Amino acid sequence: MRLLLVEDDLALQANIKQHLIDAQYTVDVASDGEEGLFQAQEYQYDVAIIDVGLPKLDGLSLISKLREQDISYPIIILTARDSWQDKVVGLDAGADDYLSKPFQLEELVARINALIRRSAGKASPVIQNGPFSINTRSLEIKKSLQIINLSGSEYKLFEYLMLHPGSVHSKSSLIEHIYDQDFDLDSNVIEVFIRRLRKKLDPDNQYQLIETLRGQGYRLRQLDTDA
């Protein structure tokens, strides 16, 4: 999952970014509201984390502009204001959740996970597709009862596919959700990771889990729960 973090406190920004990277997220950062608006318009994100007290363009105005442009991914606001009135203003501006400073980074990760699951129509941290499951809390992947070990990049790709079974994803869109803006979009890295996932998850191609649609991209098959 690819996140946008807009925070002007550079020490806090670096701390949050590293914690999210450790939690297997890809994170782009901006230090003011105008930069955050530009990045939000240019790139595809799964969640944005936006501080309220930003220079150049404050966080609430930034959120309002994003919603006016039909940018609909979930937004968490970070605020030093803890009155219920301030929280209501943030939610009314278009935010989906909020955290009052100071906060625990583990709570931020939990709220991000919940918003991503909710936006994908998933209630439980464990996502099931046939015999395959992924626990977005523990980052554990299983095939029936067998634990499957994936690299960090393989996990990010498989998690995204599991959150959107049946949908077709181009290579460029997958890269945009997994890597930051400096990554070469012409790379064949997605093909490499798809081959690795097939080999590790379904080596005999029994389930034909990840389909290739020529000229379109890849699709994770929706399997029966008793498959």
Side-chain angles (χ1 to χ4, degrees), residues 7-188:
E7 170 60 63
D8 64 318
D9 183 327
L10 297 184
L12 178 59
Q13 180 195 101
N15 194 19
I16 293 174
K17 179 179 179 179
Q18 187 57 56
H19 193 83
L20 294 176
I21 289 173
D22 292 342
Q24 298 301 322
Y25 288 108
T26 296
V27 187
D28 294 340
V29 296
S31 301
D32 61 67
E34 289 184 356
E35 183 184 1
L37 178 61
F38 171 78
Q39 292 193 198
Q41 292 169 330
E42 288 294 309
Y43 304 105
Q44 293 293 322
Y45 294 103
D46 297 288
V47 173
I49 305 113
I50 299 176
D51 182 40
V52 170
L54 295 170
K56 298 186 179 180
L57 180 67
D58 69 86
L60 296 182
S61 298
L62 170 57
I63 293 169
S64 295
K65 287 180 178 294
L66 296 180
R67 295 314 191 208
E68 288 170 2
Q69 297 175 25
D70 293 327
I71 295 175
S72 60
Y73 47 71
I75 296 174
I76 299 176
I77 52 174
L78 306 179
T79 177
R81 311 165 189 170
D82 58 2
S83 73
W84 67 265
Q85 292 95 336
D86 290 321
K87 295 169 184 175
V88 168
V89 170
L91 295 172
D92 284 346
D96 299 274
D97 201 353
Y98 62 85
L99 272 176
S100 297
K101 298 178 180 178
F103 55 86
Q104 297 296 318
L105 292 172
E106 291 79 7
E107 182 179 3
L108 175 60
V109 170
R111 288 175 181 265
I112 291 170
N113 285 338
L115 285 176
I116 289 174
R117 293 197 308 270
R118 192 182 309 158
S119 64
K122 312 290 184 182
S124 170
V126 178
I127 302 169
Q128 190 80 33
N129 185 20
F132 302 94
S133 67
I134 183 168
N135 189 318
T136 59
R137 182 181 298 156
S138 67
L139 310 184
E140 186 177 72
I141 294 170
K142 290 183 179 180
K143 179 181 180 180
S144 298
L145 299 178
Q146 177 186 3
I147 294 177
I148 306 295
N149 294 314
L150 300 180
S151 70
S153 294
E154 291 165 357
Y155 173 87
K156 291 178 184 179
L157 176 56
F158 187 56
E159 180 188 51
Y160 188 75
L161 293 174
M162 285 284 280
L163 283 165
H164 304 91
S167 298
V168 180
H169 307 282
S170 67
K171 287 191 290 185
S172 61
S173 69
L174 289 173
I175 288 174
E176 286 180 352
H177 280 281
I178 296 170
Y179 295 99
D180 61 34
Q181 66 264 43
D182 297 325
F183 195 83
D184 180 7
L185 293 182
D186 293 328
S187 172
N188 66 352

Side-chain angles (χ1 to χ4, degrees), residues 185-199:
L185 293 182
D186 293 328
S187 172
N188 66 352
V189 68
I190 293 297
E191 295 178 16
V192 174
F193 288 143
I194 290 291
R195 287 200 300 269
R196 291 182 185 174
L197 287 177
R198 286 169 171 160
K199 183 176 180 179

